[in-house]
Amino acid sequence: MFKIRQSKYRHIFCDQPKAELCYSGFRVATATGETQYIKASTKYWAVAMFGGGGPVVVGRHDRPGRFEDGTSPILKGHHGAVLDMEWSPFDDSFLATGSEDSTIKLWSIPDDWEPTDEKGLGKKGNDFSEAMVELEGHAKRVTLMRFHPTASNTMLSTSADHTVKVWDIEAGTTVTSLDGELSDLSQDIVWDVRGDKYGISNKDKAIRLVDPRTGAVTSKLEKAHEGSKSVKLSFLGESGKMLSTGSTKQSGRELKIWDLKKMDTPLHSETIDTASGALMPLYDQDTSVLYLCGKGDGIIRLYEFENKAPYLHKLNDGFRSTTPGKGYCTVPKRGLNIMSCETTRIMKLTNKDGIHPLHFTVPRKSDAFQDDIFPPTAAPTPSHSCEEWFKGSSKLPKTMKLDPTSMSGGAGKGPVGGKRVSIKSVPTLSREIDALKKHVEYLEGKLKAANIAYDPM
């Protein structure tokens, strides 16, 4: 007997946003690579701009409008183009940028940051160039970065020097490094939900699973996809499964689902189409909904994951637009319009038409909070420190309810936006101390020249 599968998200929809609700006016960087080109926190979004010094435009979600190049403030501090950005899951103002100059800089965006005013017009302001922390260790350009999902001040980065490093941001040092294993550029790096392992896809067509505490490869799949398109990865929660997207030998775009304990054969394989761009999977860990975005096209396909065959169920026709997307990212659940039943917001970056916020909504008649479509989500509170995690602590992300009447930070504590990070690494402090010593020497020279006695201590 034929039976229709029931799903709470079966009728999820998204309308094309109006022009006045989009973000425009900036020139997107021409640098190409394996990045998403846009990243977002609950409060801000960031996009690398065209220009010298690695400029980055940081906009506010609540201020749609037109950015004024040369007037609106930008973030600027690298010596080369910014290739990737990443927002901390525990502080909506803490941004990491990786650049062609081989460094990673970490920034704390000021609370009064306003590149556009309430009317959507460019607002004059001073550029921001004071990074909180600078991480040095890669020999070539930094291509991809990911913050740890549960440990504070911990991040992952990969570079054109064919290494992958795990960083203790507060100490400003590398915890472990994967050296000598990769022979080509990495196409994606992702943490699992606990941060106990990370996956890498590489131009050599292999997928590797790595223990981040030792830097050792624990599993390797030699050829996940036959084609030459970029391979993107996503761990599917705590199911023990991983999704990969790539292409067939005939250049057809495809996705596969793998069992992490037995990766020799995929559990599920599906050919999508024959478009040229790479497929970018955006997986919602809370609802098990997969948003499959294509670089260079305007289609977002929706699937629901189930931890049993056939594993993926197509929800509907998804979102279709004639405007091709250059990059995509999701906004953390804490930043959504919960009472309008917005279950996901995808920020779509285009080449010439700015950023389109795509609001995916489940139609409901009631004005009350819909707890069945909004399970608890990751809170902006770390589960443990970098040191505790490195010593073997394994924890799931702390969660919080999304009911606006009770919404608060992790475990009912702290602000929704997370606690503002305030750190300086040892190398950063050393540079500041050296600068202060030079200034003291300069002042002492002035005192001697004026024959003024002083106590040198």
Side-chain angles (χ1 to χ4, degrees):
M1 180 179 177
F2 180 74
K3 184 179 179 181
I4 297 176
R5 181 178 177 273
Q6 297 296 317
S7 172
K8 293 172 286 189
Y9 306 100
R10 183 180 175 193
H11 300 292
I12 192 169
F13 72 96
C14 175
D15 293 326
Q16 179 69 27
K18 296 179 180 179
E20 58 267 26
L21 298 178
C22 297
Y23 312 85
S24 61
F26 48 88
R27 294 184 297 167
V28 180
T30 56
T32 58
E34 304 295 345
T35 69
Q36 294 172 236
Y37 298 106
I38 179 171
K39 293 291 179 66
S41 69
T42 297
K43 187 175 181 180
Y44 303 104
W45 51 262
V47 172
M49 292 176 61
F50 177 81
V56 175
V57 55
V58 177
R60 286 172 41 170
H61 290 299
D62 62 348
R63 294 288 176 85
R66 185 171 182 80
F67 177 88
E68 293 292 339
D69 196 4
T71 300
S72 300
I74 59 173
L75 186 149
K76 195 174 183 180
H78 284 282
H79 299 295
V82 169
L83 301 179
D84 195 21
M85 302 145 292
E86 183 80 353
W87 293 96
S88 168
F90 311 121
D91 179 1
D92 290 332
S93 302
F94 196 49
L95 175 68
T97 56
S99 170
E100 283 184 345
D101 63 14
S102 78
T103 66
I104 298 170
K105 290 180 183 283
L106 296 114
W107 316 77
S108 184
I109 307 301
D111 289 331
D112 59 354
W113 186 258
E114 288 185 302
T116 53
D117 60 21
E118 294 177 352
K119 296 181 180 179
L121 302 175
K123 186 173 181 179
K124 188 173 175 132
N126 296 322
D127 293 346
F128 191 53
S129 58
E130 297 180 8
M132 182 185 293
V133 177
E134 182 174 332
L135 302 177
E136 298 177 341
H138 283 297
K140 294 184 179 179
R141 66 184 186 275
V142 179
T143 54
L144 294 168
M145 301 177 300
R146 299 288 185 269
F147 272 104
H148 196 284
T150 62
S152 61
N153 300 323
T154 310
M155 73 179 306
L156 184 69
S157 69
T158 186
S159 162
D161 62 9
H162 304 159
T163 65
V164 182
K165 298 183 184 295
V166 178
W167 299 88
D168 180 339
I169 295 172
E170 196 163 5
T173 57
T174 301
V175 176
T176 59
S177 182
L178 179 67
D179 301 320
E181 172 67 26
L182 306 176
S183 59
D184 214 328
L185 286 173
S186 295
Q187 296 175 328
D188 203 6
I189 51 172
V190 291
W191 291 101
D192 74 337
V193 67
R194 289 175 176 265
D196 288 340
K197 65 172 72 73
Y198 63 83
I200 320 168
S201 60
N202 194 270
K203 275 191 174 182
D204 63 8
K205 299 185 179 182
I207 293 176
R208 297 168 176 85
L209 300 182
V210 182
D211 182 344
R213 297 180 179 92
T214 63
V217 175
T218 58
S219 183
K220 182 178 180 180
L221 181 60
E222 289 292 348
K223 193 173 284 189
H225 299 270
E226 296 284 342
S228 58
K229 287 185 176 67
S230 293
V231 174
K232 302 297 182 182
L233 308 174
S234 180
F235 286 96
L236 300 173
E238 280 209 291
S239 66
K241 310 296 188 297
M242 183 177 69
L243 179 140
S244 66
T245 63
S247 60
T248 64
K249 190 177 289 186
Q250 292 76 29
S251 295
R253 298 196 296 187
E254 65 176 357
L255 63 80
K256 293 182 180 181
I257 292 178
W258 308 86
D259 187 336
L260 297 179
K261 295 180 180 178
K262 189 180 180 183
M263 294 183 67
D264 53 346
T265 305
L267 297 172
H268 174 77
S269 182
E270 184 175 333
T271 300
I272 306 300
D273 58 20
T274 57
S276 59
L279 286 172
M280 185 183 301
L282 301 176
Y283 181 68
D284 186 338
Q285 304 277 359
D286 304 329
T287 64
S288 299
V289 176
L290 170 68
Y291 299 82
L292 200 60
C293 311
K295 283 188 178 181
D297 61 60
I299 302 174
I300 299 178
R301 298 169 175 85
L302 275 61
Y303 298 85
E304 188 169 14
F305 170 73
E306 189 176 22
N307 196 17
K308 62 181 181 180
Y311 298 102
L312 286 180
H313 303 274
K314 193 170 184 180
L315 290 176
N316 51 44
D317 290 335
F319 174 78
R320 293 177 179 272
S321 168
T322 56
T323 305
K326 179 181 175 71
Y328 303 85
C329 74
T330 55
V331 176
K333 288 286 184 68
R334 297 174 282 110
L336 304 185
N337 190 342
I338 302 299
M339 298 311 292
S340 295
C341 295
E342 181 189 13
T343 56
T344 298
R345 186 183 308 163
I346 293 178
M347 304 297 284
K348 173 185 173 182
L349 175 67
T350 65
N351 279 311
K352 297 181 180 179
D353 203 25
I355 299 170
H356 298 178
L358 305 179
H359 305 267
F360 287 84
T361 304
V362 174
R364 292 288 172 93
K365 293 181 179 180
S366 174
D367 292 331
F369 172 66
Q370 307 292 309
D371 58 354
D372 63 321
I373 60 173
F374 289 109
T377 192
T381 308
S383 301
H384 39 204
S385 68
C386 180
E387 183 180 3
E388 291 169 336
W389 166 79
F390 186 69
K391 288 180 178 179
S393 175
S394 175
K395 296 180 180 180
L396 285 169
K398 289 188 177 181
T399 59
M400 59 182 281
K401 293 181 180 179
L402 285 170
D403 186 347
T405 60
S406 62
M407 188 183 289
S408 59
K413 301 177 182 179
V416 174
K419 185 178 180 181
R420 183 173 280 273
V421 175
S422 179
I423 58 172
K424 285 190 178 180
S425 67
V426 173
T428 301
L429 288 172
S430 298
R431 284 192 293 270
E432 290 184 0
I433 291 171
D434 290 340
L436 288 172
K437 285 180 178 179
K438 290 181 180 179
H439 188 60
V440 169
E441 291 174 0
Y442 168 77
L443 294 176
E444 287 178 344
K446 287 287 187 181
L447 291 172
K448 288 180 180 179
N451 293 319
I452 299 176
Y454 65 94
D455 183 6
M457 297 180 65

